[in-house]
Amino acid sequence: MPTVQAGVNFVLHAAGWLEGGLTLGYEKLIMDADQLGAMEVHARGVDLSDNGQAMEAFRTNTHGDHFLGNAHTLANFETAFWRSEVADNNSFEQWSEEGSLTAAQRANTRWKELLADYQPPPIDDAINAELRDYIVRRKTELTSRPG
């Protein structure tokens, strides 16, 4: 968070690092990426537009009524706030009934889902062949150097 508040907009080593970068944890990568999502929303600042400040809701809501049924709330509630994919905001009882999963356990499930669902981007066969030839050539050059 101090990095974001200092105005940095790109951090190379922001997610997954363990042991000073000597290793990576998949669960930590997911949890860190989740927090980076919160920081990205924070860095946008406060939405001061009429919509962001819900001015229409204030103008149309009847005095003494709650805002949950207001048209503005209904149109904005799903996107108005950042929601973690890893944190569990249920009650303790519901969390217990659903298996008492920790954030790391939920992150473990998430990275496995992401890996299982991964679809490599399309690449032209000729370009792919050139890239593979380059890799083989460079590996040969680097391992055959004296020294």
Side-chain angles (χ1 to χ4, degrees):
M1 185 59 80
T3 304
V4 171
Q5 290 178 329
V8 172
N9 59 21
F10 177 80
V11 180
L12 184 59
H13 307 299
W17 271 42
L18 295 167
E19 299 295 328
L22 295 175
T23 188
L24 174 132
Y26 293 121
E27 290 80 6
K28 185 163 179 355
L29 178 71
I30 296 297
M31 291 187 291
D32 288 350
D34 189 64
Q35 288 302 295
L36 288 168
M39 290 178 210
E40 188 269 331
V41 170
H42 172 77
R44 284 188 227 151
V46 177
D47 181 355
L48 297 176
S49 69
D50 271 5
N51 187 62
Q53 294 298 303
M55 297 311 295
E56 188 62 24
F58 285 108
R59 289 183 195 108
T60 60
N61 217 55
T62 305
H63 180 71
D65 284 348
H66 61 75
F67 288 92
L68 296 177
N70 188 284
H72 177 273
T73 303
L74 295 173
N76 289 277
F77 78 94
E78 289 186 4
T79 58
F81 303 100
W82 173 82
R83 290 189 58 100
S84 172
E85 291 185 17
V86 178
D88 188 328
N89 295 312
N90 292 316
S91 67
F92 177 78
E93 293 77 15
Q94 186 173 355
W95 173 77
S96 296
E97 289 172 13
E98 293 176 355
S100 307
L101 297 177
T102 66
Q105 289 170 317
R106 287 188 297 279
N108 179 276
T109 299
R110 183 69 183 132
W111 76 256
K112 289 176 180 174
E113 288 170 352
L114 288 170
L115 193 59
D117 295 343
Y118 176 73
Q119 295 293 320
I123 185 169
D124 180 84
D125 289 338
I127 293 172
N128 193 31
E130 285 182 46
L131 287 171
R132 292 187 179 280
D133 288 344
Y134 173 79
I135 292 168
V136 170
R137 187 173 67 252
R138 284 300 291 156
K139 281 184 178 179
T140 303
E141 291 170 2
L142 293 172
T143 58
S144 64
R145 286 186 190 183

